[in-house]
């Protein structure tokens, strides 16, 4: 037995001496949701990189379907109803279906995976597991929305018109318009093909994306706690609607979902270059998408999980130590397998 293995075994023995019975006494929705939500996030993070990507692809495809439905529905409304804000409300009612489908199908989203940040900081998961998890699922989300956009365009998306013949709009134009709006201060300049925006406008747009993303993932990450607070599937279904509805109608930024618009903007530049100018791809990537992902990470990692962890510190600390035992046992098992393979 080498020194490393001895240390692992010694730590396991120390952790086993603790009394974990407190974790069996949780009865409130808050505690059940918090603890089971952390367990769920840890289990998701421990999935292999290959499976993370596949589950991310599944979710990305669903997000693409959802946003397509939202764009078609909101742009099918008469102009006076659009101006009244009904389009946003309609999107808010449709989009929760994406998250519900992803949850029940077992898909993976970057925005929910980041809930494992506190368990990682508490050493309940390894750095390798954490990075494999969040980047694996993010790559999958990117690929999933790309796959959807490609198949959608091949399936006639380029020809799709929304609305009546007299006031119809191309789906690609409507989706492009929705994506460009996420550039905030820069959107009007992109539409007019102007480069007269200032560094202050860029900074503000980045800030808006980052802040909106934090608020978005406060809502989205809460679904992990909500879905684990009860075993009643009907209740889970209903509980998930509200936070997603809130973030959609408020216009907050969801990184994995926004990758759909990233690919749409690229597709528009390829298939309709006369009405595009290329710079919006770079702007969307660096002004919207990347700040949004960082904001989602902050909002989902530390706000609700952080506050509830502090409030219920005696429970969460025990949980993380219990999960660390599992991690250490896995390390021992992997070490044994490696030794056998060498021999």
């Amino acid at each position: 037995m080498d020194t490393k293995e001895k240390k692992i075994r010694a730590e396991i023995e120390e952790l086993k001496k603790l009394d974990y019975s407190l974790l069996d006494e949780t009865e409130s929705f808050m505690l059940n949701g918090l603890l089971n939500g952390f367990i769920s996030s840890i289990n998701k993070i421990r999935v292999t990189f290959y499976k993370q990507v596949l589950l991310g692809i599944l979710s990305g495809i669903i997000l693409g379907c959802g946003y397509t439905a939202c764009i078609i529905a909101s742009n099918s409304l008469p102009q006076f109803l659009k101006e009244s804000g009904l389009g946003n409300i309609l999107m808010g009612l449709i989009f929760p279906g994406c998250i519900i489908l992803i949850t029940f199908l077992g898909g993976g989203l970057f925005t929910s995976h980041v809930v494992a940040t506190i368990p990682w900081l508490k050493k309940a998961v390894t750095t390798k597991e954490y990075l494999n998890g969040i980047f694996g699922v993010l790559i999958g989300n990117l690929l999933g929305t790309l796959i959807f956009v490609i198949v959608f365009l091949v399936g006639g998306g380029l020809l799709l018109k929304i609305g009546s013949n007299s006031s119809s709009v191309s789906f690609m134009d409507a989706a492009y318009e929705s994506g460009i709006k996420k550039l905030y201060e820069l959107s009007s300049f992109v539409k007019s093909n102007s480069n007269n925006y200032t560094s202050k406008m860029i900074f503000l747009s980045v800030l808006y994306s980052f802040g909106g993303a934090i608020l978005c993932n406060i809502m989205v990450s809460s679904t992990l706690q909500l879905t684990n607070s009860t075993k009643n599937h009907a209740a889970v279904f209903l509980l998930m609607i509200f936070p997603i509805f809130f973030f959609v109608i408020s216009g907050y930024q969801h990184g994995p979902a926004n990758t759909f618009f990233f690919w749409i903007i690229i597709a528009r530049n390829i298939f309709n270059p006369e009405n595009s100018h290329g710079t919006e791809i770079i702007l969307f990537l660096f002004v919207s998408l990347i700040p949004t992902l960082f904001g989602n990470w902050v909002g989902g990692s530390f706000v609700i999980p952080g506050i509830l962890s502090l409030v219920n510190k005696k429970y969460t600390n025990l949980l993380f130590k219990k999960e660390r035992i599992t991690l250490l046992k896995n390390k021992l098992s992997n070490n044994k397998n490696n030794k056998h393979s060498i021999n």
Side-chain angles (χ1 to χ4, degrees):
M1 188 185 297
D2 59 28
T3 306
K4 184 179 179 182
E5 188 173 330
K6 284 181 181 178
K7 285 183 178 179
I8 293 173
R9 290 186 182 279
E11 187 177 353
I12 290 173
E13 291 306 313
E14 282 298 312
L15 290 171
K16 280 183 175 179
K17 291 176 183 178
L18 298 172
D19 181 10
Y20 295 100
S21 60
L22 186 66
L23 297 175
D24 300 322
E25 299 172 9
T26 59
E27 294 181 359
S28 70
F29 286 120
M30 177 180 69
L31 265 177
N32 282 332
L34 176 65
L35 299 181
N36 291 327
F38 274 137
I39 291 170
S40 176
S41 70
I42 290 168
N43 290 337
K44 285 182 178 182
I45 283 292
R46 286 177 177 162
V47 172
T48 61
F49 183 81
Y50 169 70
K51 290 181 179 178
Q52 298 283 8
V53 174
L54 288 178
L55 292 172
I57 288 172
L58 171 64
S59 299
I61 292 170
I62 293 171
L63 289 174
C65 292
Y67 252 137
T68 299
C70 286
I71 290 166
I72 292 172
S74 61
N75 283 278
S76 297
L77 294 171
Q79 188 61 34
F80 76 95
L81 288 178
K82 288 184 193 177
E83 292 172 357
S84 71
L86 188 60
N88 277 352
I89 295 173
L90 192 57
M91 289 178 72
L93 292 172
I94 294 171
F95 198 76
C98 292
I99 308 301
I100 291 168
L101 278 174
I102 289 167
T103 299
F104 281 88
L105 290 174
L109 277 175
F110 172 81
T111 42
S112 59
H113 269 48
V114 299
V115 174
T117 301
I118 290 177
W120 165 59
L121 293 172
K122 293 289 186 177
K123 299 183 178 180
V125 295
T126 66
T127 298
K128 183 181 178 181
E129 287 173 334
Y130 179 73
L131 294 177
N132 276 351
I134 62 170
F135 285 110
V137 81
L138 178 58
I139 290 168
N141 293 158
L142 275 161
L143 291 175
T145 51
L146 172 61
I147 290 167
F148 174 83
V149 168
I150 291 172
V151 175
F152 178 74
L153 295 179
V154 169
L158 284 170
L159 305 175
L160 180 62
K161 299 286 184 181
I162 308 171
S164 61
N165 291 332
S166 59
S167 59
S168 65
V169 60
S170 156
F171 172 85
M172 288 296 290
D173 288 344
Y176 177 86
E177 179 83 12
S178 296
I180 294 304
K181 284 180 181 177
K182 296 181 183 296
L183 292 175
Y184 295 103
E185 297 276 329
L186 307 182
S187 59
S188 60
F189 292 95
V190 170
K191 289 176 190 175
S192 60
N193 198 10
S194 169
N195 295 323
N196 292 328
Y197 43 81
T198 64
S199 55
K200 180 183 176 181
M201 291 176 180
I202 294 174
F203 173 76
L204 286 174
S205 298
V206 169
L207 192 63
Y208 296 154
S209 295
F210 180 72
I214 292 174
L215 294 173
C216 166
N217 217 22
I218 290 173
M219 292 289 96
V220 176
S221 66
S222 72
T223 61
L224 196 60
Q225 279 82 31
L226 291 171
T227 55
N228 285 282
S229 63
T230 175
K231 293 182 180 179
N232 186 316
H233 291 165
V236 168
F237 181 90
L238 292 171
L239 285 170
M240 292 184 71
I241 292 173
F242 295 103
I244 308 305
F245 178 78
F246 295 158
F247 105 72
V248 172
I249 66 169
S250 301
Y252 301 146
Q253 302 304 315
H254 187 279
N258 285 0
T259 61
F260 168 79
F261 294 109
F262 180 64
W263 300 123
I264 285 289
I265 290 169
I266 291 175
R268 177 86 154 12
N269 274 266
I270 294 171
F271 295 106
N272 193 3
E274 62 274 12
N275 291 320
S276 310
H277 44 90
T279 56
E280 69 267 42
I281 298 172
I282 304 299
L283 287 173
F284 192 87
L285 177 62
F286 290 102
V287 174
S288 178
L289 191 55
I290 292 175
T292 292
L293 290 170
F294 274 112
N296 287 161
W297 182 80
V298 172
S301 296
F302 302 112
V303 182
I304 289 180
I307 291 170
L308 294 182
S309 291
L310 288 173
V311 171
N312 301 282
K313 199 172 182 179
K314 64 179 181 179
Y315 293 96
T316 53
N317 282 346
L318 267 182
L319 175 68
F320 297 143
K321 287 173 181 176
K322 187 177 180 181
E323 288 297 324
R324 179 148 179 85
I325 293 174
T326 303
L327 182 151
L328 293 171
K329 285 181 176 178
N330 288 340
K331 278 188 176 181
L332 285 177
S333 177
N334 291 336
N335 286 342
K336 281 184 181 178
N337 291 336
N338 289 336
K339 285 178 182 177
H340 286 311
S341 63
I342 291 170
N343 294 333

